[in-house]
Coordinates of all heavy atoms in Angstrom, one line a residue:
M791 N 110.6 96.1 154.0 CA 111.7 97.1 154.4 C 112.8 97.0 153.3 O 113.3 96.0 153.0 CB 112.2 96.7 155.8 CG 113.4 97.6 156.2 SD 113.9 97.0 157.8 CE 114.4 98.5 158.5
M792 N 113.1 98.2 152.8 CA 114.0 98.3 151.7 C 115.4 98.8 152.2 O 115.4 99.8 152.9 CB 113.5 99.2 150.6 CG 114.3 99.2 149.4 SD 113.4 100.2 148.2 CE 114.2 99.7 146.7
M793 N 116.4 98.1 151.9 CA 117.7 98.5 152.4 C 118.5 99.2 151.2 O 118.4 98.8 150.1 CB 118.6 97.3 152.8 CG 118.0 96.6 154.0 SD 118.9 95.3 154.6 CE 120.4 96.1 155.1
T794 N 119.1 100.3 151.5 CA 119.9 101.0 150.5 C 121.4 100.8 150.8 O 121.8 100.7 151.9 CB 119.5 102.5 150.5 OG1 119.8 103.0 151.8 CG2 118.1 102.7 150.1
V795 N 122.2 100.9 149.7 CA 123.6 100.8 149.9 C 124.2 102.2 149.7 O 123.9 102.9 148.8 CB 124.2 99.8 148.8 CG1 125.7 99.8 148.8 CG2 123.6 98.5 148.9
A796 N 125.0 102.6 150.7 CA 125.6 103.9 150.6 C 126.6 103.9 149.5 O 127.5 103.0 149.3 CB 126.3 104.2 151.9
S797 N 126.6 104.9 148.6 CA 127.6 105.0 147.5 C 128.8 105.6 148.1 O 128.8 106.5 148.9 CB 127.1 105.7 146.4 OG 126.1 106.6 146.7
R798 N 129.9 105.2 147.5 CA 131.2 105.7 147.9 C 131.9 106.4 146.7 O 131.8 105.9 145.6 CB 132.1 104.5 148.4 CG 131.6 103.9 149.6 CD 132.4 102.7 150.1 NE 131.8 102.0 151.2 CZ 132.4 101.5 152.2 NH1 133.7 101.6 152.2 NH2 131.8 100.9 153.1
F799 N 132.5 107.4 147.0 CA 133.2 108.2 146.0 C 134.7 108.3 146.2 O 135.1 108.1 147.3 CB 132.6 109.6 145.9 CG 131.1 109.7 145.6 CD1 130.2 109.8 146.6 CD2 130.7 109.6 144.3 CE1 128.9 109.8 146.4 CE2 129.3 109.6 144.0 CZ 128.4 109.7 145.0
G800 N 135.4 108.5 145.1 CA 136.8 108.6 145.3 C 137.6 107.4 144.9 O 137.0 106.4 144.4
T801 N 138.9 107.4 145.1 CA 139.7 106.3 144.8 C 139.6 105.2 145.8 O 139.5 105.4 147.0 CB 141.2 106.7 144.8 OG1 141.4 107.9 144.0 CG2 142.1 105.6 144.3
R802 N 139.5 103.9 145.3 CA 139.4 102.8 146.2 C 140.7 102.3 146.5 O 141.6 102.3 145.7 CB 138.5 101.7 145.5 CG 137.1 102.2 145.3 CD 136.3 101.1 144.7 NE 135.0 101.6 144.4 CZ 133.9 100.8 144.3 NH1 134.0 99.5 144.4 NH2 132.7 101.4 144.1
H803 N 140.8 101.7 147.7 CA 142.1 101.2 148.2 C 141.9 99.8 148.8 O 140.9 99.6 149.4 CB 142.7 102.1 149.2 CG 143.0 103.4 148.8 ND1 144.1 103.7 148.0 CD2 142.4 104.6 148.9 CE1 144.1 105.0 147.7 NE2 143.1 105.6 148.3
I804 N 142.8 98.9 148.5 CA 142.8 97.6 149.1 C 143.7 97.6 150.3 O 144.9 97.8 150.2 CB 143.2 96.5 148.2 CG1 142.3 96.5 147.0 CG2 143.2 95.1 148.8 CD1 142.7 95.6 145.8
E805 N 143.1 97.5 151.5 CA 144.0 97.6 152.7 C 143.7 96.4 153.6 O 144.6 96.1 154.5 CB 143.6 98.9 153.5 CG 144.0 100.1 152.7 CD 143.6 101.4 153.5 OE1 143.1 101.3 154.6 OE2 143.9 102.4 152.9
G806 N 142.7 95.6 153.5 CA 142.4 94.5 154.4 C 143.2 93.3 154.1 O 143.8 93.2 153.0
G807 N 143.1 92.3 154.9 CA 143.7 91.1 154.7 C 145.2 91.0 155.1 O 145.7 91.8 155.9
R808 N 145.9 90.1 154.5 CA 147.3 89.9 154.9 C 148.2 90.6 153.9 O 148.3 90.3 152.7 CB 147.6 88.4 154.9 CG 146.8 87.6 155.9 CD 146.8 86.1 155.6 NE 145.9 85.9 154.5 CZ 145.6 84.7 154.1 NH1 146.1 83.7 154.6 NH2 144.7 84.6 153.1
K809 N 148.9 91.6 154.5 CA 149.7 92.5 153.6 C 150.8 91.8 152.9 O 151.0 92.0 151.7 CB 150.3 93.6 154.5 CG 151.0 94.7 153.8 CD 151.5 95.7 154.7 CE 152.2 96.9 154.0 NZ 152.6 97.9 154.8
R810 N 151.5 90.9 153.5 CA 152.6 90.2 152.8 C 152.1 89.3 151.7 O 152.7 89.3 150.6 CB 153.4 89.3 153.8 CG 154.3 90.1 154.8 CD 155.0 89.2 155.7 NE 156.0 88.4 154.9 CZ 156.7 87.4 155.5 NH1 156.5 87.1 156.7 NH2 157.5 86.8 154.7
L811 N 151.0 88.6 151.9 CA 150.4 87.8 150.9 C 149.9 88.7 149.7 O 150.1 88.4 148.5 CB 149.2 87.0 151.4 CG 148.4 86.2 150.4 CD1 149.4 85.1 149.8 CD2 147.3 85.5 151.0
R812 N 149.3 89.8 150.0 CA 148.8 90.7 149.0 C 149.9 91.2 148.1 O 149.8 91.2 146.9 CB 148.1 91.9 149.7 CG 147.0 92.5 148.9 CD 146.2 93.6 149.6 NE 147.0 94.5 150.4 CZ 147.0 94.7 151.7 NH1 146.3 93.9 152.4 NH2 147.8 95.6 152.2
H813 N 151.0 91.6 148.8 CA 152.2 92.1 148.0 C 152.8 91.0 147.2 O 153.2 91.2 146.0 CB 153.2 92.7 149.0 CG 152.8 94.0 149.5 ND1 153.6 95.2 149.3 CD2 151.8 94.4 150.2 CE1 153.0 96.2 149.9 NE2 151.9 95.8 150.5
A814 N 152.9 89.8 147.7 CA 153.5 88.7 147.0 C 152.6 88.3 145.8 O 153.2 88.1 144.7 CB 153.6 87.5 147.9
L815 N 151.3 88.3 145.9 CA 150.4 88.0 144.8 C 150.5 89.0 143.7 O 150.5 88.7 142.5 CB 149.0 87.8 145.3 CG 148.6 86.5 145.9 CD1 147.2 86.6 146.5 CD2 148.7 85.4 144.9
Y816 N 150.6 90.3 144.1 CA 150.7 91.4 143.1 C 152.0 91.3 142.4 O 152.0 91.4 141.1 CB 150.6 92.7 143.9 CG 150.6 93.9 142.9 CD1 149.4 94.3 142.3 CD2 151.8 94.6 142.6 CE1 149.4 95.4 141.5 CE2 151.8 95.6 141.7 CZ 150.6 96.1 141.2 OH 150.5 97.1 140.3
A817 N 153.1 91.0 143.0 CA 154.4 90.9 142.4 C 154.4 89.7 141.5 O 155.0 89.7 140.3 CB 155.5 90.8 143.4
A818 N 153.8 88.6 141.9 CA 153.8 87.4 141.1 C 152.9 87.6 139.9 O 153.2 87.1 138.8 CB 153.3 86.2 141.9
A819 N 151.8 88.3 140.1 CA 150.9 88.6 138.9 C 151.5 89.4 137.9 O 151.2 89.3 136.7 CB 149.6 89.2 139.5
L820 N 152.4 90.3 138.3 CA 153.1 91.2 137.4 C 153.9 90.4 136.4 O 153.7 90.7 135.2 CB 154.0 92.2 138.2 CG 154.6 93.3 137.4 CD1 153.6 94.2 136.7 CD2 155.5 94.1 138.3
A821 N 154.6 89.5 136.8 CA 155.4 88.6 135.9 C 154.5 87.6 135.2 O 154.7 87.5 134.0 CB 156.5 87.9 136.7
A822 N 153.6 87.0 135.9 CA 152.8 86.0 135.3 C 151.9 86.5 134.2 O 151.7 85.9 133.1 CB 152.0 85.3 136.3
S823 N 151.3 87.7 134.4 CA 150.3 88.2 133.4 C 151.0 88.8 132.2 O 150.3 89.1 131.2 CB 149.4 89.2 134.1 OG 150.1 90.3 134.6
F824 N 152.3 89.0 132.2 CA 153.0 89.5 131.0 C 153.8 88.5 130.3 O 154.1 88.6 129.1 CB 153.9 90.7 131.4 CG 153.1 91.9 131.7 CD1 153.0 92.4 133.0 CD2 152.5 92.6 130.7 CE1 152.3 93.5 133.3 CE2 151.7 93.7 131.0 CZ 151.7 94.2 132.3
R825 N 154.2 87.4 131.1 CA 155.2 86.5 130.5 C 155.0 85.0 130.6 O 155.3 84.2 129.8 CB 156.6 86.9 131.0 CG 157.7 86.2 130.4 CD 159.0 86.8 130.8 NE 160.1 86.2 130.0 CZ 161.3 86.6 130.0 NH1 161.6 87.6 130.8 NH2 162.2 86.0 129.3
W826 N 154.5 84.6 131.8 CA 154.5 83.2 132.1 C 153.2 82.4 132.1 O 153.3 81.2 131.8 CB 155.1 83.0 133.5 CG 156.5 83.6 133.6 CD1 156.9 84.7 134.3 CD2 157.7 83.1 133.0 NE1 158.2 84.9 134.1 CE2 158.7 83.9 133.3 CE3 157.9 82.0 132.2 CZ2 160.0 83.8 132.9 CZ3 159.2 81.8 131.7 CH2 160.2 82.7 132.1
N827 N 152.1 83.0 132.4 CA 150.9 82.2 132.5 C 149.9 82.7 131.4 O 149.4 83.8 131.3 CB 150.2 82.4 133.8 CG 149.1 81.5 134.1 OD1 148.1 81.6 133.4 ND2 149.2 80.6 135.0
K828 N 149.6 81.7 130.4 CA 148.8 82.1 129.3 C 147.4 82.5 129.7 O 146.8 83.4 129.1 CB 148.7 80.9 128.3 CG 150.0 80.7 127.6 CD 149.9 79.5 126.7 CE 151.3 79.2 126.1 NZ 151.3 78.0 125.3
Q829 N 146.8 81.9 130.7 CA 145.5 82.2 131.2 C 145.4 83.7 131.7 O 144.5 84.4 131.5 CB 145.0 81.3 132.3 CG 144.7 79.9 131.7 CD 144.4 78.9 132.8 OE1 145.0 79.0 133.9 NE2 143.5 78.0 132.6
L830 N 146.5 84.0 132.5 CA 146.5 85.4 133.1 C 146.9 86.4 132.0 O 146.4 87.5 132.1 CB 147.5 85.4 134.2 CG 147.2 84.6 135.5 CD1 148.3 84.7 136.5 CD2 145.9 85.1 136.0
M831 N 147.7 86.0 131.0 CA 148.0 87.0 129.9 C 146.7 87.3 129.2 O 146.4 88.4 128.8 CB 149.0 86.3 129.0 CG 150.4 86.3 129.7 SD 151.7 85.3 128.9 CE 151.5 85.6 127.2
T832 N 145.9 86.3 128.9 CA 144.6 86.5 128.2 C 143.7 87.3 129.0 O 143.0 88.2 128.5 CB 144.0 85.1 127.9 OG1 144.9 84.3 127.2 CG2 142.7 85.2 127.1
L833 N 143.6 87.0 130.3 CA 142.7 87.8 131.2 C 143.2 89.3 131.2 O 142.3 90.2 131.1 CB 142.8 87.3 132.6 CG 142.0 88.1 133.7 CD1 140.5 88.1 133.4 CD2 142.3 87.5 135.1
Y834 N 144.5 89.5 131.4 CA 145.0 90.9 131.4 C 144.7 91.6 130.1 O 144.2 92.8 130.1 CB 146.5 90.9 131.6 CG 147.1 92.3 131.7 CD1 147.0 93.0 132.8 CD2 147.7 92.9 130.6 CE1 147.6 94.3 132.9 CE2 148.2 94.1 130.6 CZ 148.1 94.9 131.8 OH 148.6 96.1 131.8
R835 N 144.9 91.0 129.0 CA 144.6 91.7 127.7 C 143.2 92.0 127.5 O 142.8 93.0 127.0 CB 145.1 90.8 126.5 CG 146.6 90.7 126.4 CD 147.1 90.0 125.2 NE 148.4 89.6 125.3 CZ 148.9 88.4 125.2 NH1 148.1 87.4 124.9 NH2 150.2 88.2 125.3
R836 N 142.3 91.0 127.9 CA 140.9 91.2 127.8 C 140.4 92.4 128.7 O 139.6 93.2 128.2 CB 140.1 89.9 128.2 CG 138.6 90.0 128.1 CD 137.9 88.7 128.4 NE 138.3 88.1 129.6 CZ 137.7 88.3 130.8 NH1 136.8 89.2 130.9 NH2 138.1 87.6 131.8
L837 N 140.9 92.5 129.9 CA 140.5 93.6 130.8 C 141.0 94.9 130.2 O 140.3 95.9 130.3 CB 141.1 93.3 132.2 CG 140.4 92.2 132.9 CD1 141.1 91.9 134.2 CD2 138.9 92.4 133.1
I838 N 142.2 95.0 129.7 CA 142.8 96.2 129.1 C 142.0 96.6 127.9 O 141.6 97.8 127.7 CB 144.3 96.1 128.8 CG1 145.1 95.9 130.1 CG2 144.8 97.2 128.0 CD1 145.1 97.1 131.0
A839 N 141.6 95.7 127.1 CA 140.8 96.0 125.9 C 139.4 96.5 126.3 O 138.8 97.2 125.5 CB 140.7 94.7 125.0
A840 N 138.9 96.1 127.4 CA 137.6 96.5 127.9 C 137.7 97.9 128.6 O 136.7 98.4 129.1 CB 137.0 95.5 128.9
G841 N 138.9 98.4 128.7 CA 139.0 99.8 129.2 C 139.5 99.9 130.7 O 139.5 100.9 131.3
K842 N 139.9 98.7 131.3 CA 140.3 98.8 132.7 C 141.8 99.4 132.7 O 142.5 99.2 131.8 CB 140.4 97.4 133.3 CG 139.0 96.7 133.3 CD 138.2 97.4 134.3 CE 136.8 96.7 134.4 NZ 135.8 97.4 135.1
E843 N 142.1 100.0 133.8 CA 143.4 100.5 134.0 C 144.4 99.4 134.3 O 144.0 98.3 134.7 CB 143.4 101.5 135.2 CG 142.5 102.6 135.1 CD 142.3 103.4 136.4 OE1 142.8 102.9 137.4 OE2 141.6 104.4 136.3
H844 N 145.7 99.7 134.1 CA 146.7 98.7 134.3 C 146.7 98.0 135.7 O 146.7 96.8 135.8 CB 148.1 99.3 134.0 CG 149.2 98.5 134.6 ND1 149.7 97.3 134.0 CD2 150.0 98.7 135.7 CE1 150.7 96.9 134.7 NE2 150.9 97.6 135.7
K845 N 146.6 98.9 136.7 CA 146.6 98.4 138.1 C 145.4 97.5 138.4 O 145.5 96.5 139.0 CB 146.8 99.5 139.0 CG 147.2 99.1 140.4 CD 147.5 100.3 141.3 CE 148.9 100.1 141.8 NZ 149.2 101.2 142.8
R846 N 144.2 97.9 137.9 CA 143.0 97.2 138.2 C 143.1 95.8 137.5 O 142.7 94.8 138.1 CB 141.8 97.9 137.7 CG 141.4 99.1 138.5 CD 140.2 99.7 138.1 NE 139.9 100.9 138.9 CZ 138.7 101.3 139.2 NH1 137.7 100.6 138.8 NH2 138.6 102.3 140.0
A847 N 143.6 95.8 136.3 CA 143.7 94.5 135.6 C 144.7 93.6 136.3 O 144.5 92.4 136.4 CB 144.2 94.8 134.1
L848 N 145.8 94.2 136.8 CA 146.8 93.4 137.5 C 146.3 92.9 138.8 O 146.6 91.7 139.2 CB 148.0 94.3 137.7 CG 149.4 93.6 137.8 CD1 149.6 92.7 136.7 CD2 150.5 94.6 138.0
V849 N 145.5 93.6 139.5 CA 144.9 93.2 140.7 C 143.9 92.0 140.4 O 143.8 91.1 141.2 CB 144.2 94.3 141.5 CG1 143.3 93.8 142.6 CG2 145.2 95.3 142.1
A850 N 143.2 92.1 139.3 CA 142.3 91.0 138.9 C 143.1 89.8 138.6 O 142.7 88.7 139.0 CB 141.5 91.5 137.7
C851 N 144.2 89.9 138.0 CA 145.1 88.8 137.8 C 145.6 88.2 139.1 O 145.7 86.9 139.2 CB 146.3 89.2 136.9 SG 145.8 89.5 135.2
A852 N 146.0 89.0 140.0 CA 146.4 88.5 141.3 C 145.3 87.8 142.0 O 145.6 86.7 142.6 CB 146.9 89.7 142.2
R853 N 144.1 88.3 141.9 CA 143.0 87.6 142.6 C 142.8 86.2 141.9 O 142.5 85.2 142.5 CB 141.7 88.4 142.5 CG 140.6 87.8 143.3 CD 139.4 88.7 143.2 NE 138.3 88.2 144.1 CZ 137.6 87.1 143.9 NH1 137.9 86.4 142.8 NH2 136.7 86.7 144.7
K854 N 142.9 86.2 140.6 CA 142.8 84.9 139.8 C 143.8 83.9 140.3 O 143.6 82.7 140.4 CB 142.8 85.2 138.3 CG 142.6 84.0 137.5 CD 141.2 83.4 137.6 CE 140.5 83.9 136.4 NZ 139.2 83.2 136.3
M855 N 145.1 84.4 140.5 CA 146.1 83.5 141.0 C 145.8 83.0 142.4 O 146.1 81.8 142.6 CB 147.4 84.3 141.1 CG 148.1 84.6 139.8 SD 149.7 85.4 139.9 CE 150.6 84.2 140.8
L856 N 145.1 83.8 143.2 CA 144.7 83.3 144.5 C 143.7 82.2 144.4 O 143.7 81.2 145.1 CB 144.1 84.5 145.3 CG 143.7 84.1 146.8 CD1 144.9 83.6 147.6 CD2 143.1 85.3 147.4
V857 N 142.8 82.3 143.4 CA 141.8 81.3 143.1 C 142.5 80.0 142.7 O 142.1 78.9 143.1 CB 140.7 81.8 142.1 CG1 139.9 80.7 141.6 CG2 139.9 82.9 142.6
F858 N 143.5 80.2 141.8 CA 144.3 79.0 141.3 C 144.9 78.3 142.5 O 144.8 77.1 142.7 CB 145.4 79.4 140.4 CG 144.9 79.9 139.0 CD1 145.8 80.6 138.2 CD2 143.6 79.7 138.5 CE1 145.4 81.1 137.0 CE2 143.2 80.1 137.3 CZ 144.1 80.8 136.5
A859 N 145.5 79.1 143.4 CA 146.2 78.5 144.6 C 145.3 77.8 145.5 O 145.6 76.7 146.0 CB 147.0 79.6 145.3
N860 N 144.1 78.4 145.8 CA 143.2 77.8 146.6 C 142.6 76.5 146.1 O 142.4 75.5 146.8 CB 142.0 78.8 146.9 CG 142.4 79.9 147.9 OD1 143.3 79.7 148.7 ND2 141.7 81.0 147.8
T861 N 142.4 76.5 144.8 CA 142.0 75.2 144.1 C 143.0 74.1 144.2 O 142.7 73.0 144.5 CB 141.6 75.5 142.6 OG1 140.7 76.6 142.6 CG2 141.1 74.3 141.9
I862 N 144.3 74.5 144.0 CA 145.4 73.5 144.1 C 145.4 72.9 145.5 O 145.5 71.7 145.7 CB 146.7 74.2 143.7 CG1 146.7 74.4 142.2 CG2 147.9 73.3 144.1 CD1 147.9 75.3 141.8
V863 N 145.3 73.8 146.5 CA 145.4 73.3 147.9 C 144.2 72.4 148.2 O 144.3 71.4 148.8 CB 145.5 74.5 148.9 CG1 145.3 74.1 150.3 CG2 146.8 75.2 148.7
A864 N 143.0 72.9 147.8 CA 141.8 72.1 148.1 C 141.8 70.7 147.4 O 141.3 69.8 148.0 CB 140.5 72.9 147.6
R865 N 142.3 70.7 146.2 CA 142.3 69.4 145.5 C 143.5 68.5 145.8 O 143.5 67.3 145.6 CB 142.3 69.6 144.0 CG 141.0 70.2 143.5 CD 141.1 70.4 142.0 NE 139.9 71.0 141.5 CZ 139.7 71.5 140.3 NH1 140.7 71.4 139.4 NH2 138.6 72.0 139.9
G866 N 144.5 69.2 146.3 CA 145.8 68.4 146.7 C 146.5 67.9 145.5 O 147.2 66.9 145.5
T867 N 146.4 68.7 144.4 CA 147.1 68.3 143.1 C 148.0 69.4 142.7 O 147.8 70.5 143.0 CB 146.0 68.0 142.0 OG1 145.3 69.2 141.8 CG2 145.1 66.9 142.3
P868 N 149.1 69.0 141.9 CA 150.0 70.0 141.4 C 149.3 70.9 140.3 O 148.3 70.5 139.7 CB 151.2 69.2 140.9 CG 150.6 67.9 140.6 CD 149.5 67.7 141.6
W869 N 149.9 72.1 140.1 CA 149.4 72.9 139.0 C 149.6 72.3 137.6 O 150.6 71.7 137.3 CB 150.2 74.3 139.1 CG 149.9 75.1 137.8 CD1 150.7 75.3 136.8 CD2 148.7 75.9 137.6 NE1 150.2 76.1 135.8 CE2 148.9 76.5 136.3 CE3 147.6 76.1 138.2 CZ2 148.0 77.3 135.7 CZ3 146.6 76.9 137.7 CH2 146.8 77.5 136.4
Q870 N 148.5 72.4 136.8 CA 148.6 72.0 135.5 C 148.1 73.1 134.6 O 147.0 73.7 134.9 CB 147.7 70.7 135.2 CG 148.2 69.5 136.0 CD 147.2 68.3 135.9 OE1 146.2 68.5 135.3 NE2 147.7 67.2 136.4
D871 N 148.8 73.4 133.6 CA 148.4 74.5 132.7 C 147.1 74.3 132.0 O 146.3 75.2 131.8 CB 149.5 74.8 131.7 CG 149.4 76.1 131.0 OD1 148.8 77.0 131.6 OD2 149.9 76.3 129.9
R872 N 146.8 73.0 131.7 CA 145.5 72.7 131.1 C 145.0 71.4 131.7 O 145.8 70.6 132.2 CB 145.6 72.6 129.6 CG 146.6 71.6 129.1 CD 146.7 71.6 127.5 NE 147.7 72.4 127.0 CZ 148.9 72.0 126.6 NH1 149.2 70.7 126.7 NH2 149.8 72.8 126.2
P873 N 143.7 71.2 131.6 CA 143.2 69.9 132.3 C 143.7 68.7 131.6 O 144.1 68.7 130.4 CB 141.7 70.1 132.1 CG 141.4 71.2 131.2 CD 142.7 72.0 131.0
P874 N 143.8 67.6 132.3 CA 144.2 66.3 131.7 C 143.3 65.9 130.6 O 142.1 66.3 130.6 CB 144.2 65.3 132.9 CG 144.0 66.1 134.1 CD 143.5 67.4 133.7
E875 N 143.7 65.0 129.7 CA 143.0 64.5 128.6 C 141.7 63.9 129.0 O 140.6 64.0 128.4 CB 143.8 63.6 127.7 CG 145.0 64.2 127.2 CD 144.7 65.2 126.0 OE1 143.7 64.9 125.3 OE2 145.5 66.1 125.9
N876 N 141.7 63.1 130.1 CA 140.5 62.3 130.5 C 139.7 63.1 131.6 O 138.8 62.4 132.2 CB 141.0 61.0 131.1 CG 141.9 61.1 132.3 OD1 142.3 62.2 132.6 ND2 142.3 60.0 132.8
A877 N 139.9 64.3 131.7 CA 139.1 65.1 132.7 C 137.7 65.3 132.3 O 137.5 65.6 131.1 CB 139.8 66.4 133.0
T878 N 136.8 65.2 133.2 CA 135.4 65.5 132.9 C 134.8 66.5 133.9 O 135.2 66.6 135.0 CB 134.5 64.3 132.9 OG1 134.6 63.7 134.2 CG2 134.9 63.3 131.9
L879 N 134.0 67.4 133.4 CA 133.3 68.4 134.3 C 132.1 67.7 135.0 O 131.4 67.0 134.4 CB 132.9 69.6 133.5 CG 134.0 70.4 132.8 CD1 133.3 71.5 132.0 CD2 134.8 71.0 133.9
T880 N 132.0 67.9 136.3 CA 130.9 67.4 137.0 C 130.1 68.6 137.6 O 130.7 69.5 138.1 CB 131.4 66.5 138.1 OG1 132.2 67.2 139.0 CG2 132.1 65.3 137.6
A881 N 128.8 68.5 137.6 CA 128.0 69.5 138.2 C 127.8 69.2 139.6 O 127.6 68.1 140.1 CB 126.6 69.5 137.5
S882 N 127.9 70.2 140.5 CA 127.7 70.1 141.9 C 126.4 70.5 142.4 O 125.9 71.5 142.0 CB 128.8 70.8 142.6 OG 130.1 70.4 142.2

């Protein structure tokens, strides 16, 4: 049995989830992706160079900030701009 996905046309809108959090992340991403966070600045520039619109690139930066925040909470460690010198990657 083959399932098909219905295609959607028109402008997409983000309406689900927590409105206050969504607005706060967007506002924070606006400042962070232009001035404060090197990782987000790099991501924003890469997306714009690839042809993404400003708002789409900014929403991607906001989502990346959410990933950063979730990782910080899960690990219980403060934010670090780069990994510590003795950090090693482990495969899960």
Side-chain angles (χ1 to χ4, degrees):
M791 176 181 214
M792 187 174 198
M793 296 181 66
T794 60
V795 177
S797 25
R798 297 179 185 216
F799 297 98
T801 307
R802 294 181 183 204
H803 300 281
I804 299 173
E805 296 177 3
R808 296 164 285 185
K809 186 175 183 177
R810 287 182 65 190
L811 177 62
R812 207 172 50 245
H813 285 241
L815 280 172
Y816 185 84
L820 188 58
S823 60
F824 288 108
R825 188 169 187 171
W826 300 109
N827 189 297
K828 291 179 185 177
Q829 292 172 323
L830 292 178
M831 289 167 40
T832 304
L833 173 65
Y834 180 83
R835 288 187 197 126
R836 181 173 52 85
L837 291 173
I838 292 296
K842 298 292 181 192
E843 300 166 355
H844 163 74
K845 195 173 236 182
R846 286 183 184 216
L848 207 53
V849 168
C851 290
R853 187 177 187 291
K854 182 67 100 171
M855 285 182 66
L856 183 60
V857 170
F858 291 162
N860 285 337
T861 303
I862 289 168
V863 170
R865 291 181 183 169
T867 59
W869 167 257
Q870 296 177 353
D871 195 24
R872 57 182 96 98
E875 299 289 327
N876 59 355
T878 58
L879 295 175
T880 58
S882 302

